[in-house]
Amino acid sequence: MKTSIKIGLAAFLVILSFCAMADGRPVKRSINFSMAKQAIHHYMDVITEGQYQGIEELFALDFCQRVQGLKFSNYSRSEIISFLKKQRGEKMNCQTTLQIIDECAHYMIAKVIMKFESFTKIDLITLINEDGNWKVIASIHTYQ
């Protein structure tokens, strides 16, 4: 008797799981914006504190940085990663603030303001959600 109840219950669970998988509705994933904010804070630590761990995972493969100063410069992902690895352990003497400008399930735009003694550097960052992993895809630096 106990065996037939167990077999019947197991068969019911198998049928129920097949029905649940075959209902045709897309799987709804919750987006964790705290993960995006962690990526932004990690970016800030890399830029201002000289941390280098996880740099390859932080930047999207098609990352591009544009610096708008006296002249315009563009830098690729590999150029930025190489530069940041050379800056390992170098801490910038600045006060840093973060503003989230826009966020949704697929992207986030943030503004990092770094106030130095004689100038201010503003970094506008765009992050994208690639299969649940937040990566920095673009950065625009301006100086005031």
Side-chain angles (χ1 to χ4, degrees), residues 38-115:
Q38 287 175 355
I40 291 170
H41 286 287
H42 182 63
Y43 175 84
M44 291 169 56
D45 290 342
V46 166
I47 298 299
T48 62
E49 300 290 324
Q51 293 184 9
Y52 70 97
Q53 294 174 326
I55 290 177
E56 286 84 6
E57 294 81 20
L58 179 63
F59 295 103
L61 292 176
D62 54 348
F63 171 81
C64 178
Q65 182 179 77
R66 182 172 181 132
V67 178
Q68 294 185 296
L70 296 175
K71 64 177 187 164
F72 299 111
S73 303
N74 289 313
Y75 299 99
S76 69
R77 177 183 188 269
S78 60
E79 291 172 315
I80 293 299
I81 289 173
S82 175
F83 172 77
L84 291 171
K85 284 184 176 181
K86 289 176 187 173
Q87 298 298 316
R88 178 180 176 179
E90 294 291 324
K91 294 183 180 184
M92 293 196 180
N93 187 18
C94 64
Q95 291 182 341
T96 308
T97 57
L98 171 66
Q99 297 174 349
I100 304 298
I101 296 172
D102 194 13
E103 63 184 334
C104 74
H106 305 291
Y107 71 89
M108 180 177 281
I109 300 172
K111 183 178 186 180
V112 177
I113 302 166
M114 293 170 264
K115 290 193 179 207

